[in-house]
Amino acid sequence: MKTRIKQTVTVLVAAGIGWGAASTAWSAESLQDVMKRRGLSQQDLLAASKTYVPTGKRDEFLAFSSGGQSGQVIVYGIPSMRILKYIGVFTPEPWQGYGFDENSKSVLRQGNIDGKEINWGDTHHPAISETQGKYDGQFLFINDKANPRLAVIDLRDFETKQIVVNPIFKSEHGGAFVTPNSEYVIEAAQYATPLENKKFQPLEEFNEKYRGGITYWKFDRKEGRIDPKQSFSLELPPYSQDLSDAGKGPSDGWSFTNSFCSERYVGGIEKGRPPYEAGCSAKDTDYLHVINWKKAAELVAAGKAKTINGHKVLMMETAIKEGILFLVPEPKSPHGVDVTPDGKFLTVAGKLDTHVSVFSFEKIQAAIKAGKFESKDPYGIPVIGMKDALHAQVQLGLGPLHTQYDSKPCIAYTSLYVDSQVVKWNHCEGKVLDKISVHYNIGHLMTMEGDSADPKGRYLVALNKLSIDRFNPVGPLHPQNHQLIDISNDKMQLLYDMPLPLGEPHYVVAIEAAKLKPGVRYKVGTDSRTDKPHPGMVRAGEEETTKKGNKIEVKGTLIRSHITPETIEAEVGDEITIHLTNLERAQDETHGFAVSTYNVHASIEPGKTVTVKFKADKEGVYPYYCTEFCSALHLEMQGYLLVKPKGWKPGKTQEAAKANYTEADYKATVKKVVDTQVVIDSVVGYITSVNYKDFPDVVAMVEDATDQLNKMKDAKAKHEAAAAKKDWDQANLWAEQVWQYQVKAADIGLRAKTYLEQNGAKKTK
Ligand SMILES: [Cu+2]
């Protein structure tokens, strides 16, 4: 045994891992045995030790990834790469009831376009709200490229609160990007279309009638919502505007958007014309748009905008005259434009060029001030000479796309799509420092808070388009591949491949986990989609069912392990509205609610009130139940929707079946209650003998258990009253209910006891 431990320690030290005495616990198999059996190298062990998060421990960063064509957001931890949540955004998500209850539907349906329900999205670029250019962890924004929309997610509960539809675009790839204090969320049009787009305009008039643009969505932080009335757009040439970034520090107040197909080429391969791909990459350069958004907002406030489709649009003519819009040539077909953390430089990568171009904001401003322009574009926008704006061009490799920054000054990372590599380089000195291969065809990459004014370094995630040969085959459609790379040392090290099987995650942002402060329960009766009190909420004992004409309204409650009411009676054709309030105070005691065959589902977290609505259009009997495994008697958390024919009258056999319990049954149940109380008392004795008040999670559990025990009093009074009248059925069943409350209290108490034992609680008496 001694030798084995010695060997294990030697291996670990050789692999560069510090080690305590814990290896003595591994008596069955040594680390060397496992390495041999699984064919692992020391490099593998090192990578594993950098990503493994032991049970009970948490990740350092939380990543928010676009879910691509799933229309969702995926949340995972770094470095463990464990998926923690999917957030329903543009697509219904049944687990969360998203799109199946009325409250979430009211958010999802804000995304209807021209009266049409759109039940999917192509989510692209998530952005975390910022304060002074730093991630503040309050809100997340995400765009839909296919149907130009933007959503707001509140990071207090990780729920989608709002969807806004762009009133003048028909697609938008470049969004969401926030200004340094989240004053605006920037969204750029991709494929040019007529802005009003109410009348057909032929492609032959592309240059005159089709337009691109950028929308600046005004974010009202206090309300936690976008204010469409205070939002505006800037009309731009039909140049296929792509990604943007907002200036910060010295460049605050400006935003930068690049473009492709500034050739304004119109394809038509079916008519014998060369395709878009040929015509859109013919010139050597495209245009970087340089915009003074603060001045633009002032001009809009001063009434200088035109109203198109009810939305304020600052026209190009005005923007040129007022000196707030400029162009700089950039290497052709670029993708990312990324402002350095200090706000002094912007890195632009041209996909079809081997260089990245680092532009100097100072030089751009000097050219603007001096009125030094090399030309004007066909729409009269002043063009600053590329040389007059460039700080440096650095040859990085084939297909540079996106750049992120390190916590170390001047260090940047750029994805190389064609080379399938990440390159680490110095943007101040224009020097390549290191390269690492990824599998394969990387799109975006992301470092921790790496597009903010305060990057955290440490890790990089490569978002690869292809995962060929990385995972077990699962048919022709492969998962996507997020690769975790350690960037804390001079040489980059690949740590982990994470398959993501929910659409092509386009971009991801990651924030220090400590900055997030999500709640664990709602104030009782909250509509989580409006953050306001829900009009359908009731407290325990106030549940009611009312009928007016053919409209039935139920105000019910949920608590382990029953739904009140347990029967809902209706006639065919009745419209049924059910409001349900989760009365639980315990963490994670979510109840679900489903009615068989009526396509409704709700997820009701502690404190939440949710409404489901449907027409009882089929005569018959339909069970409803709680869809979360909430307690031992979860299966019994049930009820019936009874849909009767019109004018139905009960016959004479309508009494519910009698259980026929005896006095002996009652006495046995009462004994069971007494025995259980002994267990509860011993658990309570343990908890109160240690410093449990130092553990907030345990304090919450104790409160919850006390709640359950308090409910016993009413049931106890009922069984004693029934016993006095020798009604053994009622007496026995209410005594059973007392036991149910005891079981729940004991369950929570035992959980608290385990928690205290595992977390080093100390004896106080
Ligand atoms: Cu992109």
Side-chain angles (χ1 to χ4, degrees):
M1 186 63 212
K2 215 174 170 184
T3 341
R4 183 178 284 175
I5 294 165
K6 214 172 149 194
Q7 282 170 350
T8 308
V9 173
T10 313
V11 169
L12 284 162
V13 170
I17 304 165
W19 192 253
S23 58
T24 44
W26 295 13
S27 52
E29 209 175 8
S30 76
L31 192 56
Q32 262 188 332
D33 293 340
V34 177
M35 283 174 74
K36 202 171 160 202
R37 179 164 59 79
R38 300 198 64 216
L40 299 176
S41 67
Q42 294 199 354
Q43 192 70 3
D44 295 332
L45 282 199
L46 188 61
S49 69
K50 286 181 180 185
T51 55
Y52 178 64
V53 176
T55 180
K57 296 267 166 39
R58 295 186 186 178
D59 279 299
E60 298 160 58
F61 296 92
L62 239 59
F64 294 85
S65 174
S66 66
Q69 305 89 332
S70 75
Q72 317 286 41
V73 165
I74 304 158
V75 186
Y76 61 82
I78 292 176
S80 76
M81 308 302 270
R82 297 181 294 194
I83 293 176
L84 301 170
K85 192 159 210 171
Y86 296 129
I87 305 174
V89 186
F90 298 110
T91 306
E93 206 294 303
W95 178 49
Q96 295 155 50
Y98 189 66
F100 299 91
D101 70 62
E102 293 304 304
N103 308 94
S104 60
K105 257 193 243 173
S106 71
V107 174
L108 191 63
R109 295 282 79 87
Q110 289 168 14
N112 287 12
I113 298 182
D114 305 324
K116 196 171 269 167
E117 280 191 13
I118 296 177
N119 282 321
W120 81 289
D122 189 7
T123 54
H124 266 61
H125 303 96
I128 291 174
S129 58
E130 294 180 7
T131 301
Q132 293 181 333
K134 297 173 186 178
Y135 287 5
D136 57 36
Q138 292 183 6
F139 295 94
L140 182 80
F141 308 96
I142 182 111
N143 73 314
D144 170 11
K145 169 174 169 164
N147 321 287
R149 300 179 295 177
L150 189 85
V152 180
I153 295 161
D154 194 327
L155 294 178
R156 283 176 303 180
D157 61 358
F158 287 51
E159 283 199 353
T160 303
K161 305 288 178 170
Q162 185 187 25
I163 294 174
V164 288
V165 176
N166 195 295
I168 55 168
F169 302 153
K170 284 289 163 275
S171 66
E172 53 101 350
H173 172 223
F177 301 95
V178 295
T179 56
N181 286 300
S182 306
E183 300 96 332
Y184 290 95
V185 185
I186 305 171
E187 179 186 64
Q190 180 118 89
Y191 305 116
T193 47
L195 294 186
E196 192 182 16
N197 213 12
K198 301 276 195 243
K199 277 192 219 133
F200 168 72
Q201 306 288 356
L203 279 167
E204 285 72 16
E205 294 177 47
F206 187 85
N207 294 351
E208 298 77 35
K209 301 280 174 65
Y210 288 51
R211 288 291 177 267
I214 294 174
T215 299
Y216 295 86
W217 289 107
K218 177 76 188 153
F219 183 60
D220 182 338
R221 193 186 283 263
K222 218 174 119 243
E223 290 294 315
R225 303 290 185 277
I226 279 166
D227 183 353
K229 286 205 179 71
Q230 301 298 318
S231 304
F232 68 94
S233 295
L234 188 58
E235 179 204 30
L236 290 175
Y239 290 161
S240 295
Q241 282 79 28
D242 198 41
L243 298 193
S244 304
D245 202 0
K248 47 196 160 214
S251 53
D252 185 16
W254 293 74
S255 68
F256 313 95
T257 302
N258 48 32
S259 61
F260 63 90
C261 204
S262 59
E263 292 86 349
R264 296 178 292 167
Y265 182 73
V266 173
I269 193 168
E270 71 290 342
K271 295 175 193 152
R273 281 175 64 77
Y276 276 102
E277 59 177 316
C280 283
S281 57
K283 282 197 324 177
D284 280 341
T285 55
D286 284 299
Y287 287 124
L288 173 69
H289 300 66
V290 177
I291 296 156
N292 186 337
W293 65 259
K294 266 195 186 153
K295 191 96 184 284
E298 286 167 21
L299 293 171
V300 173
K304 300 218 168 166
K306 192 176 156 184
T307 300
I308 301 176
N309 297 342
H311 172 74
K312 292 188 196 93
V313 184
L314 198 62
M315 305 308 280
M316 271 193 285
E317 204 189 335
T318 315
I320 295 166
K321 203 167 73 195
E322 300 283 348
I324 62 157
L325 171 62
F326 307 91
L327 299 172
V328 184
E330 56 186 359
K332 69 175 165 186
S333 302
H335 207 23
V337 47
D338 300 285
V339 178
T340 52
D342 61 12
K344 291 182 181 169
F345 301 99
L346 353 157
T347 305
V348 172
K351 277 179 290 205
L352 301 179
D353 186 17
T354 56
H355 299 86
V356 283
S357 304
V358 184
F359 291 101
S360 155
F361 181 72
E362 204 182 320
K363 285 187 177 180
I364 290 172
Q365 289 303 305
I368 292 170
K369 281 212 182 81
K372 195 180 175 206
F373 304 113
E374 67 171 21
S375 62
K376 283 180 178 174
D377 87 332
Y379 300 90
I381 306 173
V383 179
I384 300 166
M386 196 171 175
K387 283 204 183 87
D388 294 330
L390 264 184
H391 165 71
Q393 274 194 317
V394 191
Q395 187 155 17
L396 295 184
L398 298 178
L401 288 186
H402 297 284
T403 298
Q404 292 261 298
Y405 302 97
D406 203 328
S407 52
K408 297 163 200 146
C410 298
I411 304 298
Y413 303 84
T414 298
S415 51
L416 301 176
Y417 179 82
V418 179
D419 277 340
S420 292
Q421 285 186 323
V422 170
V423 51
K424 174 181 179 177
W425 56 290
N426 183 310
H427 67 79
C428 302
E429 293 166 17
K431 214 166 70 187
V432 172
L433 302 170
D434 188 27
K435 283 188 181 186
I436 190 168
S437 292
V438 292
H439 306 267
Y440 294 99
N441 289 24
I442 178 173
H444 277 264
L445 81 177
M446 181 269 295
T447 56
M448 306 301 101
E449 304 193 15
D451 57 11
S452 76
D454 187 24
K456 304 294 180 203
R458 312 281 303 279
Y459 304 104
L460 180 148
V461 175
L463 281 72
N464 309 324
K465 301 295 160 193
L466 302 178
S467 65
I468 297 167
D469 74 25
R470 292 295 94 182
F471 307 114
N472 298 53
V474 288
L477 179 63
H478 295 221
Q480 302 284 317
N481 189 1
H482 283 206
Q483 286 188 308
L484 182 70
I485 294 167
D486 180 359
I487 56 167
S488 48
N489 303 302
D490 290 343
K491 291 289 289 174
M492 292 181 277
Q493 187 197 357
L494 179 59
L495 299 179
Y496 194 76
D497 285 11
M498 178 176 69
L500 261 189
L502 197 82
E504 183 193 288
H506 198 92
Y507 182 46
V508 58
V509 286
I511 180 171
E512 271 182 334
K515 285 187 182 175
L516 295 166
K517 307 264 185 290
V520 294
R521 65 182 70 78
Y522 294 97
K523 199 170 166 217
V524 179
T526 301
D527 174 347
S528 68
R529 302 293 169 170
T530 61
D531 303 323
K532 295 193 168 92
H534 192 300
M537 79 83 83
V538 283
R539 295 187 181 277
E542 296 170 354
E543 298 89 349
E544 59 171 23
T545 300
T546 51
K547 184 164 185 180
K548 274 184 203 141
N550 70 335
K551 290 188 168 59
I552 293 178
E553 188 175 19
V554 179
K555 291 180 177 173
T557 59
L558 303 154
I559 192 156
R560 279 159 291 163
S561 310
H562 54 266
I563 304 168
T564 309
E566 296 192 333
T567 43
I568 299 172
E569 297 180 43
E571 286 189 342
V572 173
D574 284 348
E575 282 169 24
I576 301 183
T577 304
I578 306 170
H579 314 286
L580 290 167
T581 300
N582 182 336
L583 299 175
E584 305 280 0
R585 292 200 299 162
Q587 260 193 60
D588 206 21
E589 274 299 344
T590 294
H591 298 291
F593 180 76
V595 183
S596 167
T597 72
Y598 275 101
N599 198 39
V600 290
H601 183 241
S603 172
I604 310 131
E605 290 79 49
K608 209 191 233 187
T609 301
V610 177
T611 302
V612 296
K613 215 170 180 173
F614 57 94
K615 192 170 178 182
D617 51 7
K618 308 175 287 179
E619 181 184 329
V621 174
Y622 305 95
Y624 54 84
Y625 70 100
C626 169
T627 60
E628 287 272 341
F629 200 160
C630 56
S631 61
L633 290 184
H634 147 75
L635 294 179
E636 290 77 357
M637 198 162 170
Q638 61 169 27
Y640 280 107
L641 166 69
L642 307 168
V643 185
K644 307 166 189 178
K646 280 212 161 46
W648 183 86
K649 290 266 182 320
K652 57 182 176 183
T653 58
Q654 294 314 307
E655 274 283 288
K658 289 249 179 196
N660 292 324
Y661 294 107
T662 62
E663 185 176 3
D665 294 327
Y666 172 64
K667 285 194 168 146
T669 306
V670 169
K671 185 175 182 304
K672 183 167 72 175
V673 166
V674 171
D675 293 346
T676 307
Q677 195 59 43
V678 174
V679 177
I680 292 174
D681 291 345
S682 86
V683 173
V684 170
Y686 169 78
I687 292 171
T688 51
S689 75
V690 299
N691 59 333
Y692 80 94
K693 285 185 180 158
D694 295 338
F695 301 87
D697 284 341
V698 174
V699 172
M701 284 189 246
V702 168
E703 275 178 21
D704 182 39
T706 311
D707 272 2
Q708 294 291 336
L709 292 173
N710 284 340
K711 289 195 186 72
M712 271 168 40
K713 288 173 197 154
D714 179 53
K716 186 167 186 272
K718 281 179 174 152
H719 80 69
E720 285 170 354
K725 284 191 273 175
K726 298 194 186 308
D727 180 348
W728 302 119
D729 269 1
Q730 287 281 313
N732 186 48
L733 291 172
W734 282 114
E736 277 291 340
Q737 185 58 31
V738 169
W739 188 65
Q740 285 308 324
Y741 291 129
Q742 282 183 318
V743 168
K744 283 165 216 158
D747 171 34
I748 304 158
L750 288 167
R751 228 187 295 159
K753 184 171 177 257
T754 310
Y755 184 101
L756 290 167
E757 284 165 355
Q758 288 180 351
N759 288 278
K762 289 187 187 74
K763 283 270 171 207
T764 55
K765 30 175 152 155

